[in-house]
């Protein structure tokens, strides 16, 4: 089977995967394996484009002699480069989403502050953590601090403490 027989179909297939999953990610629709499919299967498009360019290199070089085509290519290259320039982080937020900030605040808060937020008593929180193998010695400890002692993350402990509602 010749390169010509599969380079363009691979490019088209990779484009479909990249475009559809990219649109789903853009609209923050978190379903299935969309993100890993986008990140990994988009390599198929890149591979297809490389082979497609190799097959049609002579024709592709002609675009560098055409003003509009060259302008579009250069604009895309400039935009790609500009997208990689580090941006200043917003004050206090560190550039993270609100949900990540909230979880960070919860896992770093003293247990005495966290317990009422979770609708539990400090004794209940302490008992749950002790039952899960964590040594609570002070109400000033945080989930992050406790977790670090065992090589875990504060979010792992937060999940242990979350109220068990319907569907859990």
């Amino acid at each position: 089977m010749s390169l010509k027989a599969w380079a363009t179909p691979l490019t088209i297939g990779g484009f479909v995967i990249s475009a559809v999953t990219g649109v789903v990610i853009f609209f923050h629709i978190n379903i299935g394996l969309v993100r890993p499919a986008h990140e990994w299967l988009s390599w198929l498009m890149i591979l297809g484009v490389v082979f497609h360019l190799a097959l049609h290199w002579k024709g592709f070089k002609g675009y560098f002699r055409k003003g509009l085509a060259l302008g579009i290519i250069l604009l895309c290259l400039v935009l790609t480069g500009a997208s990689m320039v580090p941006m200043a982080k917003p004050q206090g937020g560190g550039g993270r989403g609100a949900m990540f900030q909230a979880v960070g605040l919860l896992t770093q808060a003293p247990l005495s502050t966290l317990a009422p937020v979770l609708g539990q008593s400090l004794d209940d929180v302490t008992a749950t953590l002790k039952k899960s193998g964590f040594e609570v010695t002070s109400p000033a400890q945080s989930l992050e601090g406790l977790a670090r002692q065992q090589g875990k993350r504060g979010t792992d402990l937060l999940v242990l403490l979350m109220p068990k509602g319907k569907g859990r």
Side-chain angles (χ1 to χ4, degrees):
M1 180 183 286
S2 72
L3 184 61
K4 199 172 209 171
W6 58 268
T8 300
L10 182 62
T11 304
I12 293 168
F15 172 77
V16 169
I17 291 168
S18 184
V20 170
T21 57
V23 168
V24 171
I25 290 169
F26 177 83
F27 287 107
H28 305 286
I29 301 169
N30 191 13
I31 56 173
L33 297 173
V34 169
R35 187 168 298 280
H38 181 76
E39 292 172 353
W40 288 100
L41 296 179
S42 291
W43 285 99
L44 294 175
M45 184 178 79
I46 294 168
L47 191 62
V49 167
V50 167
F51 288 125
H52 189 79
L53 279 174
L55 282 171
H56 303 286
W57 184 249
K58 186 177 178 183
F60 178 70
K61 286 192 317 184
Y63 286 106
F64 291 110
R65 291 188 288 273
K66 299 175 183 171
L68 178 61
L70 183 58
I72 292 170
I73 293 168
L74 290 175
L75 175 64
C76 290
L77 288 172
V78 168
L79 290 173
T80 300
S83 73
M84 296 183 192
V85 174
M87 302 295 289
K89 293 181 180 177
Q91 286 213 325
R96 294 172 30 190
M99 183 64 74
F100 288 108
Q101 291 178 37
V103 169
L105 290 172
L106 290 174
T107 60
Q108 293 171 18
L111 295 177
S112 58
T113 303
L114 178 64
V117 171
L118 297 176
Q120 300 179 38
S121 70
L122 179 58
D123 291 338
D124 290 340
V125 167
T126 302
T128 301
L129 291 170
K130 284 185 178 180
K131 190 166 56 172
S132 298
F134 294 91
E135 185 62 36
V136 180
T137 57
S138 163
Q141 287 178 286
S142 69
L143 294 180
E144 199 62 51
L146 286 167
R148 221 174 299 128
Q149 293 172 0
Q150 293 189 14
K152 296 188 182 281
R153 298 175 305 167
T155 52
D156 298 331
L157 287 123
L158 185 59
V159 169
L160 291 173
L161 298 172
M162 294 302 291
K164 309 293 186 259
K166 293 180 183 174
R168 285 193 153 207

